[in-house]
């Protein structure tokens, strides 16, 4: 049966959903002091409107009918108008799925904030955050884009600052605020250049008069979006902001907000770029982000920072896919270009799903154990079996293991790398080969990292009192996790039919067949062991090398687990180990006393961030001296200004 | 089309059964070769079968600290290893394989098996299991770029990313190594990968149970009974299919062209003979090296990395 909905009806529906969320925002602000009402109604409104958004966007995605409408006109030039094509619809779909699950999760999650006002505020900022992200994605003018972009940045800043009582939150909030405003500055410059070129604010294809201007425009865009997406070397705000903010907000920021920046890159580079250079650049920064992200993640024991570093890695993977798209497109290899573009987009969806799943389950764990340090967890799978199981699914998906969704997108990127022999330029081939080997290393290290993250958190014996007394979280939180985990599985196993539904014929393995084969083998193996194997079982204490009782202190720790990898990559971590020993004898055999010191060297902060900060503080010192508060000094400046103007007019006119 | 599906199903059954039944033999054969090198007579060639049979009849011991992961991990490990076996044809190549022969799928199916093995290693709350998992994950992540580079080289030379097609192309041109002798470094690199992935000396010693030198054995130390059976069998199968990748791409002789009883039998004998030779080489190789320190292992990989990138550079600029 064919369902046909007119464009106008879709537009009305879209506006209705927007207004609904605005209603939710107003309600949560009006009834700020209410105990349950504002929170529940706000969240229910988010649930309803995200469902509407998801339906509209999937309809647009399937039927490929773009929507375009203007909602508000300040002046004929300054319009707030919207445009939903397939690309925007895809991102709206991602945002609404994740927002739906996060809202579902938040019903019970926000209850651990004692103050009802705080709970209602969280819902208020969450609603404005979600709607601003959706509206950024479907903005048709740069004016609207920047407007909603700023609302998105500000509401997310308030959400990061939510636990403002803590000292670390203040630092994180400030860091995040500066980075996010810096990103807006670059976007502003880029959009100004665009406005000068086009004489209007529309986002559509234009011919640039000079290639230099185009290059400056694209570089500014790239820097602006990369700061927001957390690409190395602009990544530092992620590992600060995520541990500080509430877990449901981390899920939204990591799952969706950084994807909005990816949307910006894809949208503008598809419209304006036609040079190979930016393809290579994006590929390179993607590769560097991917590998550094996972290498830093391996060292982390704070579960949210670990996940934050994995976001950096996955953004890198998405950029690798998009960089490959530009490279293949400019070399006229259209089939490969489509493959890598779909890989980048599909990985965007997949990363949103499994990363928000991981952040939400991590949030449940943190709520129960009251700590973020995985060294103080352990054994949680017995107290929280469902949470543990969902975290495991997230971990398998992010490690790109079949048959889950992460595998399919990484497979497509590998496939486009492996088929790069069709390229002509040998240097380009060489670059791609270096990138693919780094990509492979990254993917394997991610698996090592999630073996650590899952096992130390959930397996073996509990390492602290809190971990011993953890309880399973309420049903709605589990339900939201279950939806995300289910989607991870479905998008993996049914990826082939889903791609054909959208008319894409891609060389991906049909994981359904693999799944059927695996299932048959499992049944055969199960029957074999049922019939032939001994059924005797014993559950004793773990063997502790002769010690009767095994304590948690004897388990392998997270630092122990990652130690070999940390040692191998010590050049990248810049860890300094200093050991001083004094001996009783002159042959240096019997140790008298000694001390050891391990210091971490914070490369990015020391060599990239601080010089910039120092430069600007020096400049502002200079201005500070000028603005000294003396009226006569200001009059003097005015005098100088007037004299200067006279001289200027006298000479140049 | 339906004939193709029948062929594919037949292929899956034959390939899997053959791999499962034959692989324990190769483990014993390598042991025998090593024993001869050390001047011993060594165990019987069927010793691994006896061991497996013994394990099947033993009781299974679970630690009281362990969870359901310990119970499902051996199953997942075994079935995903067997599924990976379908990516590599041993005796005949079906016309269509529904894209399941892809290199990346093959590697990641093995990765899934390894992931669960490593997670189960940490489940028992014992010190050894964690140590083994940590070391195994380290080694396998460092070797990963080499493996990918080898297959990139194959993809460049043979213009396909599917192992089934790689073997077909190679057998059509009469053995890739004989047409392009320049690919010899790739053979060495693949051999190194085989040694590393099946956890043999100089990376790891499959015979040791000394706590400081164990890698793979430490990881499965907590396993017992039928679970240990699954772990042992899956590492035997993994070794066989990795050997098959090397043998069938470089020396693709004796495949059954049409599937009849006699041709399949001949193909099996061919594969058996070729693998026996490779096992003897592995045994000799193992006997002539000492185990490397863990942090020396990356140096060994760099050799393989260098060889495979050398081959690719030849290919790219040729």
């Amino acid at each position: 049966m064919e369902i046909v909905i007119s464009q106008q009806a879709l537009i009305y529906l879209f506006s209705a959903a927007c207004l609904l969320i605005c209603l939710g925002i107003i309600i949560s602000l009006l009834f700020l002091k209410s105990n349950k009402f504002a929170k529940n109604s706000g969240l229910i409104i988010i649930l309803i409107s995200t469902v509407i958004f998801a339906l509209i966007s999937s309809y647009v995605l399937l039927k490929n009918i773009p929507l375009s409408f203007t909602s508000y006109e300040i002046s004929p030039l300054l319009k707030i108008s919207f445009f939903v094509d397939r690309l925007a619809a895809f991102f709206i779909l991602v945002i609404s799925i994740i927002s739906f699950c996060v809202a579902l999760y938040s019903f019970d999650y926000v209850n651990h904030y004692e103050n009802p006002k705080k709970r209602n505020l969280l819902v208020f900022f969450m609603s404005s955050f979600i709607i601003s992200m959706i509206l950024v994605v479907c903005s048709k003018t740069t004016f609207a884009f920047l407007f909603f972009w700023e609302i998105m940045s500000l509401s997310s800043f308030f959400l990061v600052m939510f636990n403002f009582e803590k000292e670390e939150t203040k630092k994180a909030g400030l860091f995040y605020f500066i980075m996010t405003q810096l990103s807006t500055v670059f976007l502003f410059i880029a959009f100004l250049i665009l406005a000068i070129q086009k004489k209007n604010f529309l986002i559509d294809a234009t011919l640039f008069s000079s290639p230099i201007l185009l290059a400056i425009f694209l570089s500014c865009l790239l820097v602006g979006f990369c700061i927001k997406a957390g690409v190395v070397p602009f990544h530092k705000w992620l590992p600060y902001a995520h541990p500080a903010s509430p877990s449901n907000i981390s899920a939204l920021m990591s799952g969706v907000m950084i994807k909005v920046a990816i949307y910006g890159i894809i949208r503008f580079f598809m419209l304006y770029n036609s040079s190979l250079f930016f393809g290579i650049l994006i590929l390179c920064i993607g590769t560097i982000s991917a590998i550094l992200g996972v290498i830093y993640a391996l060292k982390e024991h704070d579960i949210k920072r670990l996940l934050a570093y994995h976001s950096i890695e996955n953004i890198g993977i998405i950029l690798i896919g998009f960089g490959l798209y530009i490279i293949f497109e400019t070399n006229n290899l259209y089939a490969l270009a489509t493959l890598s573009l779909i890989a980048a987009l599909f990985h965007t969806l997949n990363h949103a799903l499994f990363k928000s799943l991981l952040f939400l389950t991590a949030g449940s764990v943190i709520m129960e154990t009251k700590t973020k340090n995985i060294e103080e967890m352990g054994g949680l799978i017995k107290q929280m079996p469902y949470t543990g199981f969902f975290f495991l699914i997230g971990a398998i998906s992010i490690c790109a293991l079949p048959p889950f969704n992460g595998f399919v997108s990484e497979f497509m990127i590998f496939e486009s790398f492996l088929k790069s022999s069709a390229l002509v330029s040998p240097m380009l081939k060489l670059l791609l080969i270096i990138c693919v080997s780094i990509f492979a290393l990254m993917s394997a290290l991610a698996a090592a990292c999630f073996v650590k993250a899952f096992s130390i958190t959930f397996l073996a014996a509990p390492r602290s009192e809190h971990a011993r007394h953890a309880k399973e979280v309420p049903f709605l939180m589990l339900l939201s996790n279950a939806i995300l985990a289910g989607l991870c599985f479905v998008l993996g196993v049914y990826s082939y039919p889903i791609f054909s539904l959208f008319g894409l014929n891609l060389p991906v393995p049909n994981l359904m067949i693999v799944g059927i084969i695996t299932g048959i083998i499992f049944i055969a193996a199960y029957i074999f062991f049922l019939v032939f194997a001994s059924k005797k079982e014993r559950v004793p204490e773990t063997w502790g090398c002769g010690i009767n009782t095994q304590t948690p202190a004897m388990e392998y720790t997270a630092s122990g687990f990652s130690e070999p990898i940390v040692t191998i990559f010590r050049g990248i971590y810049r860890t300094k180990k200093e050991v001083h020993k004094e001996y009783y004898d002159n042959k240096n055999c019997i140790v008298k006393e000694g001390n050891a010191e391990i210091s971490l060297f914070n490369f990015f902060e020391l060599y990239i961030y601080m010089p910039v900060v120092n430069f600007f503080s020096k400049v502002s010192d200079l201005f500070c001296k000028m603005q000294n508060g003396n009226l006569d000094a200001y009059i003097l400046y005015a005098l100088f200004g007037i004299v200067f103007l006279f001289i200027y007019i006298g000479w140049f006119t | 089309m339906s004939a193709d599906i029948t062929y594919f199903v037949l292929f899956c059954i034959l390939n899997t059964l053959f791999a499962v039944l034959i692989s324990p033999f190769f483990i014993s054969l390598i042991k025998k070769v090593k024993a001869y090198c050390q001047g011993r007579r060594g165990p019987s060639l069927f010793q691994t079968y006896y061991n497996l049979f013994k394990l099947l009849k033993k009781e299974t011991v679970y630690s009281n600290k362990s969870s359901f992961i310990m119970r499902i991990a051996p199953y997942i490990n075994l079935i995903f290893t067997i599924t990976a076996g379908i990516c590599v044809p041993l005796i005949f190549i079906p016309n269509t394989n529904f894209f399941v022969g892809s290199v990346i799928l093959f590697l990641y199916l093995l990765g899934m098996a390894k992931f669960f093995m490593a997670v189960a290693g940490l489940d028992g709350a014992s010190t050894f299991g964690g140590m083994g998992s940590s070391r195994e994950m380290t080694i396998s992540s460092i070797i990963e770029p080499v493996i990918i580079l080898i297959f990139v080289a194959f993809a460049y030379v043979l213009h396909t990313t599917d192992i089934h097609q790689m073997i077909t192309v190679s057998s059509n041109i009469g053995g890739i190594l004989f047409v392009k002798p320049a690919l010899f470094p790739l053979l060495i690199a693949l051999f190194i990968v085989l040694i590393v992935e099946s956890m043999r000396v100089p990376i790891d010693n499959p015979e040791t149970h000394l706590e400081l030198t164990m890698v793979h054995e430490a990881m499965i130390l907590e396993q017992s009974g039928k679970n240990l059976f699954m772990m042992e069998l899956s590492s035997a199968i993994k070794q066989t299919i990795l050997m098959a990748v090397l043998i069938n791409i470089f020396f693709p002789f004796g495949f059954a062209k049409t599937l009849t009883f006699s041709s399949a039998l001949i193909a099996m004998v061919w594969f058996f003979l070729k693998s026996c030779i490779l096992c003897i080489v592995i045994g000799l190789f193992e006997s002539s090296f000492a185990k490397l320190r863990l942090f020396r292992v990356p140096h060994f990989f760099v050799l393989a990395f260098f060889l495979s990138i050398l081959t690719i550079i030849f290919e790219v600029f040729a």
Side-chain angles (χ1 to χ4, degrees), chain B residues 125-194:
Chain B
S126 118
T127 323
F128 294 120
M131 187 180 71
S133 305
S134 157
R135 290 179 179 176
E136 173 123 1
M137 289 318 281
T138 308
I139 291 172
S140 71
S141 16
I142 310 281
I143 195 70
E144 191 73 20
V146 182
I147 303 176
I148 291 292
L149 272 188
I150 290 171
F151 284 108
V152 169
F154 281 136
Y156 270 44
V157 178
L158 300 169
H159 300 291
T160 171
T161 58
D162 188 295
I163 300 182
H164 288 223
Q165 280 167 19
M166 280 180 186
I167 297 171
T168 316
V169 174
S170 177
S171 88
N172 285 346
I173 58 175
I176 180 90
L177 197 58
F178 300 100
V179 182
K180 287 197 175 183
L183 291 183
F184 187 69
L186 215 54
L187 178 65
I188 303 174
L190 197 54
F191 183 74
I192 290 177
V193 168
L194 170 62

Side-chain angles (χ1 to χ4, degrees), chain A residues 77-147:
Chain A
L77 257 182
L78 289 180
K79 275 188 261 183
I80 295 198
S81 44
F82 300 111
F83 180 68
V84 184
D85 62 348
R86 263 187 142 174
L87 183 65
F90 174 76
F91 277 86
I92 294 175
L93 185 64
V94 175
I95 295 169
S96 28
I97 292 173
I98 306 302
S99 307
F100 179 83
C101 293
V102 170
L104 204 59
Y105 179 87
S106 302
F107 273 103
D108 286 316
Y109 178 77
V110 295
N111 282 347
H112 80 275
Y113 291 107
E114 311 264 296
N115 186 351
K117 211 166 162 184
K118 224 173 159 181
R119 293 198 290 249
N120 298 337
L121 264 180
L122 189 69
V123 175
F124 165 71
F125 284 123
M126 216 167 97
S127 323
S128 44
F129 187 36
I130 291 168
I131 186 69
S132 62
M133 284 192 293
I134 289 176
L135 293 180
V136 167
V137 168
C138 50
S139 294
K140 198 185 181 184
T141 60
T142 50
F143 176 72
F145 191 95
L146 266 185
F147 180 75

Side-chain angles (χ1 to χ4, degrees), chain A residues 382 400 411 414-415 418 420 433 440-441 443 517 529 532 534 536-542 550 554 561, chain B residues 56-57 59-60 62-65 67 71 86 102 108 122 124-125 127 134 141 148 152 156 161 229-230 312:
Chain A
K382 289 187 208 71
F411 175 90
F414 265 122
E415 191 76 6
L418 287 172
S420 62
I433 287 162
L441 178 65
S443 156
I517 293 171
F529 289 112
F532 293 106
S534 151
K536 270 190 285 181
E537 263 185 40
R538 199 151 54 87
V539 185
E541 190 83 19
T542 304
Q550 184 83 338
M554 292 170 188
F561 188 90
Chain B
L56 211 53
K57 293 290 158 208
E59 66 173 357
T60 313
Y62 298 100
S63 156
N64 59 0
K65 305 270 191 331
S67 59
R71 291 166 192 266
I86 288 171
S102 164
Y108 278 72
L122 279 150
T127 323
S134 157
S141 16
I148 291 292
V152 169
Y156 270 44
T161 58
F229 172 95
M230 289 186 235
I312 294 178

Side-chain angles (χ1 to χ4, degrees), chain A residues 468-497:
Chain A
R468 202 164 289 126
H469 301 300
K471 276 189 218 62
E472 187 58 279
V473 291
F475 174 73
L476 278 183
M477 286 165 87
L478 290 176
L479 181 66
S480 70
N481 295 344
I483 293 171
L484 289 168
L487 281 174
C488 282
F489 182 73
V490 168
L491 283 183
V493 173
Y494 295 100
S495 51
Y496 193 77

Side-chain angles (χ1 to χ4, degrees), chain A residues 164-198:
Chain A
F164 61 91
E165 303 92 348
K166 291 183 189 153
E167 200 51 47
E168 57 157 31
T169 310
K170 285 178 197 159
K171 192 189 170 196
L174 192 65
F175 208 121
Y176 176 63
F177 186 74
I178 292 171
M179 292 305 275
T180 196
Q181 290 309 306
L182 206 60
S183 132
T184 314
V185 168
F186 278 102
L187 292 187
F188 213 94
I189 298 170
F191 289 159
L192 269 181
I193 296 173
L194 188 67
I196 291 167
Q197 274 295 315
K198 285 167 57 79

